[in-house]
Amino acid sequence: MKIAVGTDHAGIRLKEDIIAVIQEMGHEVVDVGCSCADSVDYPDYALPVCEQVVSGEADRGILICGTGIGMSIAANKIPGIRCALVHDTFSAKATREHNDSNVLAMGERVIGPGLAGEITQIWLGTPFSEGERHIGRVDKIKAIEKRYLQQ
């Protein structure tokens, strides 16, 4: 898989750890930044990651900021993105199996590199459970998105 990764200034250290985990798993990484500790705006990095996922240039995306909250809010404004803010392994697995999340958000100030690495491995390694109830629920999410795009 090709994974697009982006962060603001508050997630720089964790981003490097996550990139290493992704590469160790044998996946390709597209690093959209940022690459400095100077204060930047998280939507400026959420957008290019999500655009790559929506366009098919990347299979999935990972976003990191201080809490993961800002990144997840920005990401979920983009049609076609199902971004999950995750800080535990159970949720990492559940959001792939049940929600077919295509973007993962994490907060460097919330979790450490060890747990973030485990979350990344689980999230990347878990397929969507294509059971009828899960497909139906994701389809309902897509219908809501489509409805509000028409306004």
Side-chain angles (χ1 to χ4, degrees):
M1 283 192 289
K2 183 185 280 189
I3 313 301
V5 179
T7 184
D8 69 0
H9 59 284
I12 285 245
R13 288 176 291 158
L14 188 57
K15 181 185 77 164
E16 296 308 317
D17 294 326
I18 296 307
I19 287 174
V21 169
I22 295 166
Q23 291 172 332
E24 287 170 12
M25 293 179 73
H27 302 301
E28 182 181 346
V29 173
V30 179
D31 182 351
V32 303
C34 85
S35 56
C36 67
D38 298 337
S39 182
V40 297
D41 299 329
Y42 55 82
D44 295 339
Y45 297 92
L47 182 60
V49 166
C50 294
E51 287 178 331
Q52 286 195 25
V53 172
V54 169
S55 72
E57 292 176 59
D59 299 294
R60 294 196 205 154
I62 296 178
L63 298 169
I64 304 162
C65 64
T67 62
I69 297 168
M71 284 290 200
S72 66
I73 291 170
N76 281 314
K77 298 297 180 188
I78 299 162
I81 294 300
R82 289 176 306 283
C83 179
L85 173 58
V86 175
H87 291 127
D88 64 88
T89 57
F90 176 81
S91 297
K93 184 174 182 180
T95 192
R96 282 293 309 134
E97 287 180 339
H98 298 197
N99 313 121
D100 197 19
S101 61
N102 52 11
V103 176
L104 170 66
M106 294 182 285
E108 180 177 304
R109 295 176 181 156
V110 179
I111 58 174
L115 179 55
E118 285 182 61
I119 288 167
T120 300
Q121 289 174 332
I122 290 167
W123 187 76
L124 290 175
T126 302
F128 176 49
S129 175
E130 296 189 28
E132 189 175 312
R133 68 184 174 132
H134 298 303
I135 291 173
R137 291 170 183 163
V138 172
D139 285 346
K140 286 182 179 190
I141 292 170
K142 291 176 183 178
I144 292 168
E145 183 177 73
K146 185 176 179 181
R147 175 181 170 189
Y148 283 91
L149 281 173
Q150 294 175 355
Q151 293 184 356

